[in-house]
Amino acid sequence: MSLRVRPPVETDAEPLCVVINAIIAAGGTTANETPFTPARLWEYSLGGPGVLCCHVVTLDSEPVGFQGLYRSPDLPEGWGDIGSFTRQVPRVPGAGTALFAATLARARALGLVAMNATIRADNVPGLAYYTKMGFVEYDVVRAVPLADGTPVDRIKHKRAV
């Protein structure tokens, strides 16, 4: 089993759609509620103009996850908004840690000062992951409705770069 982290290429969009759409379908861990097409995933998360950087993790050459830093008008200058998605079944131990090492290095190279992670309050694995990566809570956005109207808090975490 060999994990490798690299920048995305357009052909990654299709297999990574399978990864993120399975997470969306399972529910409870992402603010994304609409399944992605490969073209929309590329534009939104992997290589579009709002992407500051993105990394793909592969397992024996198969894309099994990605992590990106994105521009957000809601954040201060010099901040990136981070998003992370890795295959859930079967899990890929070490994928999130490997992705974060690459993202942190690129954030520093870009001259960013901080990263923001906004996590659903019911996303227990996501909250644990970002805490493990050194993020600390700094704000809560209360009762953001899901597509079905269910209110779910969003917990904002930050980490200095």
Side-chain angles (χ1 to χ4, degrees):
M1 179 171 95
S2 173
L3 287 179
R4 182 174 164 241
V5 175
R6 59 167 174 74
V9 294
E10 286 194 50
T11 55
D12 292 330
E14 190 168 332
L16 291 173
C17 260
V18 173
V19 171
I20 194 168
N21 288 342
I23 293 167
I24 292 168
T29 62
T30 179
N32 296 298
E33 295 183 77
T34 303
F36 283 87
T37 64
R40 187 167 151 263
L41 184 63
W42 178 263
E43 184 69 16
Y44 182 75
S45 296
L46 304 176
V51 179
L52 294 168
C53 75
C54 185
H55 295 92
V56 172
V57 63
T58 62
L59 177 62
D60 299 329
S61 300
E62 175 191 354
V64 293
F66 65 95
Q67 183 173 78
L69 282 175
Y70 308 100
R71 290 180 178 86
S72 174
D74 300 330
L75 294 175
E77 186 69 28
W79 285 49
D81 205 16
I82 193 169
S84 310
F85 302 92
T86 58
R87 186 180 72 195
Q88 299 300 293
V89 179
R91 291 201 178 277
V92 185
T97 301
L99 283 167
F100 189 71
T103 299
L104 181 59
R106 185 68 183 132
R108 287 177 174 151
L110 290 169
L112 297 181
V113 296
M115 292 180 273
N116 173 76
T118 303
I119 312 299
R120 284 173 47 161
D122 57 351
N123 181 354
V124 174
L127 293 167
Y129 169 74
Y130 285 106
T131 298
K132 180 180 173 186
M133 297 302 117
F135 285 73
V136 295
E137 182 179 329
Y138 73 95
D139 196 10
V140 177
V141 180
R142 301 275 178 212
V144 178
L146 299 176
D148 68 2
T150 304
V152 178
D153 291 350
R154 303 296 198 268
I155 304 173
K156 294 184 173 220
H157 293 75
K158 65 182 175 182
R159 186 191 193 284
V161 173

